[in-house]
Amino acid sequence: MLRIALRTLRFRKGAFVATFLAMTFGAVLVLACAGLMETGIRGDIPARRLAAAPLVVTGSQTWTLPKENPADPEEDSEAAYLPERVRLSDELVDEVSRVPGVAAAVGETSVPVLAGQRRLDAYGWASAALTPVSLTSGEAPATGEVVLGQGAGAAVGDRVELVVRGSAETFTVSGLVPGQAVYFADDQVADLAGHPGGVDLIGVLTAPGADVGAVADAIAGLLPGQNATLLSGDDRGFAEFAGSEKASENLIVLSAVFGGLATMVMLFVVSTTLGLSVQQRQRELALLRAVGTTPGQLRRMVVGEALFMAVFAAGLGLLLGGVFGEWLFERLADNGIVPTAMTHSSGWIPMVVASGAVLVGSFLGALIAGRKAARTRPTEALADAAIQRKWLSPIRVILAVLAFGGGVALFIVTVAVMTGPIAASTAGPSVMLWAIALALVAPGVTKLFLAVLRWPVRAFAGTAGYLATLSTKTRSVRVAAVVTPIMLATGIATANIYLQTTTVAVANEAFADNLRADLVVTSPTGITTGVLAEVGAVPGVTAAAEFATSTVFVAEPYDSSLSEDGWAVQGVTAETAAETTAVKPSEGTLADLTGDTVVLPEQHAATLGKGVGDTITVLMGDRAEVPVEIVALYPAHEGFETLLMPASLVAAHTTDGLPKQIMIRTDDPAAVTAALRPVLAGHPGLALVDRDALLSGYAQDQELGAWINYLMAGMIIAYTAISVVNSLVMATGARRREFGLQRLTGSTRGQVLRMMTVEAGMATVIGVGLGTLVAGMTLMPFTLVTDGTILPKGPIVIYLGVVGAAALLTFGSTLLSTWAGLRTRPAEAAVAPA
């Protein structure tokens, strides 16, 4: 049977190519996403600056969230990523250095430095051995000296000014090394860093001939209770590139979300394409049944043919998918989503996943498509092949009910349970459930739409409209097969794009509402004590406050609302917090926000069962636990809850240890800008930006975060667009015999083209209408939760663009394939296989 199917491929090249392309591009998408997931799981970041140290000890950047019942071993524990550098004690450096086989244990401390206009991390000279870095000229630095990279343009003996943690310091250049680098004297770097007694990490150099494994085991025995982690191999890159662990986790989540959506779309597209292909072969399959082919043979033929194509399509998809996955990863690295040092991995597991997805999708699609033809009696099959009317079956009804039920359930869960931007997490499965549900009932819905459109179309399109309505009335099931990919493309494109525009718009509005500053003083290395007083004394400044941000976790009491993302915290100055923040306390006062204190959102305080005057324990971003007193409560915008703490407390537990902004309120920004110039000149590294620039910068950061979602969603949208073209070309190409008969009965090419133009218009209206419904049911719960409205935020031109693209694809594919079909002589076309 398979041999018969393969021999007849030349008579249905269009269907074969369309199905093959759907399978191939499906494999490309799934492999690319699976490769990104493997990359995130592996997290391979080869060491660069620490390349010479076979072992590295660093502070543990993860913290296990408290459990409601710590004694319950069945309760799962989640780990949260700590955003600030967790430092190690000098005592641990001494202990590691005494381990047998250790030649040297280098405690490394980094210092934020501004050299000219370039921000760099400076280190003690001992850290040069961890790369290793050798002097090209000069000697190692002593106190008051510095070794610079040759790219700085300085010479040995020059006096240079560097901004170190917000303060301008002058040093003598004692030596030069290749590239861009700054090294201070080892006895001075801890004081410059502002946290003597602690180091960022410990680089371990082993003695010649030492067993690195044995040394690692001995060092690991020193670490329990130290909040430290031992790294080796490519894992050393996690110590070198701050935030790389979180980036790996984010890449896993990103690839899982879009990979899952891509897989569902691929299964949907491959199944519908195969269904349409088999549907167009009803006459051929009916004839096979009439000459004695058994239902089992027919099913095996259809499934075997589909798997035959799937094997070759998967092979081609794996070749293209590897290249596409690498390109996609490079785009993520270029835009800072993942570290540029991370290496892309796409091994045999992603290949198996992609191949398996294509083979399974093809098998299921062919099985479903061949089931009806195999079970229909030969005489009924021949009649149904001419005019297909039956489409409803018990299985289709059950699946439709389940899909509609799933969509409704996600709608309710999103509105009733979720808050803020997290509500977007249900969008992926929601859009597919609604699309599948409508696809299952598409023949009935299409028939209803066609009945509604029939009279308007005949009234405005004349003879062409009359012919188009007659044709679509007798072919409503096949029209539904064309409408389905248009619906899917429209729904996915509209939902994903407006999901991002709404997320960005809501975040920007929340930021603008909370921003009360008219001007902001910023510094890339931190703002030192005393600058706030100078800024506050400038004429025209009505209020000035230091500002620092981080993430914290409530360690005690148990916080049932705590997630691995923690709580955003803003550090402010108590005296001017009322003027420089949008927080309006419902209880307590911001003026009491001094020392170890905190201001909580009302709902958060209620969850903790605490109020003003009570004490809670907060784990800061650097793992330090601080008992703080609640001094005020305020009503927060749901989904954007933020804790307030003193700026000095928050900044002290950040990586750089200093606030990086000063918020300024003034009635005359222009006059204050001019008056602040002497203050800025006296503190190199400071810059002044106005409110508009700050809002614009935040918006750009939000767009960068949304960009990756646009990119990932864009490739899925492109795939659905390909499926639209495939389906339309297949459906139109299969009607050559019909076009030939029309030509023989007197219709001209122009009349046939006009008829198909009207049909394309009707398919576009129905597909776009259903796609809009899919997008609306996906977006509505999200917008209700985040913005309290049923309409998404974003320009209407986006929707018009989606509709226009759908129309262009539909009309273009239909008319081009019709024109190609009309090139065949009518007599030849009339006897061609249907």
Side-chain angles (χ1 to χ4, degrees):
M1 294 303 295
L2 179 59
R3 189 181 306 156
I4 294 174
L6 295 179
R7 285 179 177 178
T8 60
L9 279 180
R10 64 191 182 93
F11 296 110
R12 38 194 178 81
K13 293 190 287 282
F16 168 75
V17 171
T19 307
F20 186 82
L21 287 176
M23 294 174 177
T24 300
F25 286 111
V28 170
L29 279 185
V30 175
L31 178 62
C33 292
L36 291 180
M37 177 173 283
E38 181 181 358
T39 300
I41 293 173
R42 290 181 180 275
D44 290 338
I45 304 179
R48 296 181 180 180
R49 189 174 49 77
L50 303 175
L55 301 171
V56 175
V57 181
T58 184
S60 176
Q61 294 294 146
T62 58
W63 179 68
T64 303
L65 300 184
K67 298 193 293 187
E68 185 174 8
N69 183 8
D72 183 6
E74 300 296 326
E75 187 178 348
D76 293 333
S77 297
E78 292 186 66
Y81 173 78
L82 300 176
E84 313 296 345
R85 172 74 76 175
V86 176
R87 293 189 169 88
L88 305 171
S89 65
D90 284 342
E91 289 79 6
L92 184 59
V93 180
D94 295 333
E95 292 182 42
V96 172
S97 67
R98 292 193 292 269
V99 170
V102 173
V106 179
E108 180 176 272
T109 300
S110 62
V111 187
V113 170
L114 194 64
Q117 299 300 315
R118 186 183 181 92
R119 186 197 184 281
L120 299 171
D121 285 329
Y123 307 95
W125 177 245
S127 295
L130 302 178
T131 306
V133 172
S134 301
L135 290 165
T136 57
S137 61
E139 58 186 16
T143 301
E145 296 180 337
V146 65
V147 169
L148 296 179
Q150 291 174 315
V156 174
D158 287 353
R159 298 281 289 173
V160 295
E161 183 180 80
L162 302 175
V163 179
V164 183
R165 294 184 71 245
S167 297
E169 305 278 352
T170 302
F171 299 89
T172 300
V173 178
S174 68
L176 298 175
V177 294
Q180 296 280 354
V182 178
Y183 292 98
F184 294 119
D186 291 323
D187 60 358
Q188 189 178 15
V189 67
D191 292 331
L192 292 174
H195 48 83
V199 296
D200 293 353
L201 58 86
I202 304 170
V204 180
L205 302 175
T206 56
D211 184 343
V212 176
V215 173
D217 291 339
I219 293 175
L222 302 174
L223 302 185
Q226 300 275 7
N227 290 326
T229 302
L230 179 64
L231 305 175
S232 61
D234 284 345
D235 289 343
R236 293 172 296 167
F238 287 120
E240 189 171 335
F241 297 94
S244 52
E245 287 182 89
K246 185 64 175 178
S248 294
E249 180 183 323
N250 291 340
L251 185 60
I252 293 172
V253 173
L254 180 73
S255 58
V257 170
F258 283 100
L261 180 59
T263 302
M264 287 190 290
V265 171
M266 186 273 296
L267 293 173
F268 187 91
V269 169
V270 169
S271 297
T272 53
T273 306
L274 275 171
L276 180 59
S277 175
V278 174
Q279 188 182 98
Q280 292 176 354
R281 298 168 57 195
Q282 286 294 322
R283 182 178 296 276
E284 173 194 334
L285 301 178
L287 287 172
L288 287 173
R289 289 281 285 117
V291 297
T293 304
T294 65
Q297 288 176 318
L298 208 60
R299 279 195 298 268
R300 287 193 294 273
M301 182 190 78
V302 173
V303 171
E305 179 184 335
L307 291 178
F308 178 82
M309 286 190 289
V311 168
F312 289 97
L316 180 58
L318 294 182
L319 293 175
L320 299 176
V323 176
F324 179 69
E326 182 74 31
W327 176 87
L328 191 61
F329 179 77
E330 290 175 357
R331 301 291 74 74
L332 300 183
D334 290 343
N335 287 273
I337 307 300
V338 295
T340 55
M342 184 178 287
T343 56
H344 178 253
S345 301
S346 186
W348 65 270
I349 294 179
M351 292 184 180
V352 170
V353 170
S355 301
V358 172
L359 291 173
V360 170
S362 302
F363 174 77
L364 293 177
L367 193 65
I368 294 170
R371 179 177 173 274
K372 182 176 182 297
R375 295 186 61 182
T376 305
R377 293 178 180 178
T379 53
E380 294 176 357
L382 284 169
D384 197 39
I387 302 176
Q388 189 176 8
R389 298 184 183 276
K390 298 178 182 179
W391 61 274
L392 198 60
S393 66
I395 293 179
R396 184 185 283 261
V397 172
I398 293 171
L399 292 176
V401 170
L402 291 175
F404 276 118
V408 172
L410 282 179
F411 189 109
I412 295 172
V413 167
T414 303
V415 173
V417 178
M418 297 190 173
T419 60
I422 195 175
S425 60
T426 61
S430 180
V431 71
M432 288 307 302
L433 281 171
W434 288 112
I436 291 171
L438 287 175
L440 290 168
V441 298
V445 176
T446 300
K447 191 172 184 178
L448 178 62
F449 267 93
L450 290 173
V452 173
L453 293 173
R454 183 174 303 132
W455 298 111
V457 168
R458 289 183 177 182
F460 288 99
T463 303
Y466 180 78
L467 292 173
T469 54
L470 282 180
S471 175
T472 53
K473 180 181 179 180
T474 58
R475 298 173 52 259
S476 60
V477 175
R478 296 191 178 185
V479 173
V482 171
V483 164
T484 298
I486 301 174
M487 171 197 69
L488 182 65
T490 304
I492 288 181
T494 304
N496 278 283
I497 295 174
Y498 274 113
L499 190 71
Q500 299 308 318
T501 58
T502 302
T503 301
V504 170
V506 170
N508 289 341
E509 288 177 3
F511 181 78
D513 290 342
N514 291 328
L515 182 63
R516 288 291 180 266
D518 301 297
L519 298 170
V520 182
V521 175
T522 66
S523 171
T525 62
I527 299 174
T528 56
T529 304
V531 176
L532 177 63
E534 293 183 48
V535 171
V538 170
V541 174
T542 58
E546 290 180 325
F547 189 76
T549 59
S550 187
T551 300
V552 298
F553 304 83
V554 177
E556 292 183 7
Y558 174 72
D559 184 1
S560 61
S561 60
L562 184 63
S563 72
E564 61 183 16
D565 294 325
W567 294 101
V569 62
Q570 294 180 355
V572 298
T573 303
E575 294 79 7
T576 54
E579 291 82 15
T580 55
T581 70
V583 172
K584 304 299 180 186
S586 57
E587 185 179 351
T589 175
L590 298 182
D592 293 336
L593 200 61
T594 59
D596 294 342
T597 55
V598 66
V599 174
L600 294 180
E602 291 175 335
Q603 184 59 43
H604 191 192
T607 301
L608 297 174
K610 299 291 183 178
V612 173
D614 293 333
T615 299
I616 63 174
T617 300
V618 173
L619 185 96
M620 306 301 288
D622 64 348
R623 210 186 188 92
E625 292 191 6
V626 180
V628 292
E629 180 186 353
I630 302 171
V631 296
L633 304 177
Y634 77 99
H637 181 54
E638 194 172 29
F640 295 92
E641 296 88 352
T642 301
L643 279 60
L644 296 186
M645 301 177 79
S648 56
L649 177 60
V650 174
H653 294 281
T654 60
T655 299
D656 290 341
L658 291 172
K660 294 187 176 180
Q661 292 179 326
I662 293 178
M663 302 293 181
I664 301 172
R665 289 297 303 273
T666 177
D667 297 326
D668 190 353
V672 171
T673 298
L676 279 172
R677 286 172 185 157
V679 176
L680 301 180
H683 299 277
L686 295 184
L688 185 68
V689 296
D690 59 17
R691 176 184 174 86
D692 291 340
L694 205 62
L695 292 174
S696 176
Y698 181 82
Q700 289 178 1
D701 290 340
Q702 293 298 306
E703 289 293 344
L704 178 61
W707 172 87
I708 178 55
N709 292 317
Y710 286 129
L711 176 63
M712 299 294 285
M715 66 183 189
I716 297 175
I717 293 168
Y719 181 53
T720 59
I722 292 172
S723 75
V724 171
V725 175
N726 275 350
S727 299
L728 289 166
V729 170
M730 285 173 59
T732 308
R735 297 174 65 184
R736 286 183 303 159
R737 185 169 179 270
E738 175 189 335
F739 297 155
L741 290 172
Q742 285 183 304
R743 296 282 307 284
L744 289 175
T745 56
S747 296
T748 65
R749 289 183 179 180
Q751 288 175 322
V752 175
L753 283 170
R754 286 194 291 274
M755 179 192 75
M756 293 304 295
T757 300
V758 175
E759 285 194 28
M762 296 171 71
T764 300
V765 170
I766 299 172
V768 168
L770 294 178
T772 302
L773 179 60
V774 168
M777 297 304 292
T778 301
L779 291 170
M780 196 181 302
F782 173 71
T783 56
L784 282 172
V785 169
T786 57
D787 196 42
T789 66
I790 62 173
L791 294 177
K793 291 183 178 292
I796 188 64
V797 69
I798 292 175
Y799 178 70
L800 296 177
V802 171
V803 172
L808 181 64
L809 289 173
T810 305
F811 280 96
S813 302
T814 301
L815 296 181
L816 282 175
S817 53
T818 301
W819 174 79
L822 291 173
R823 295 179 64 189
T824 305
R825 292 180 179 178
E828 295 177 2
V831 296

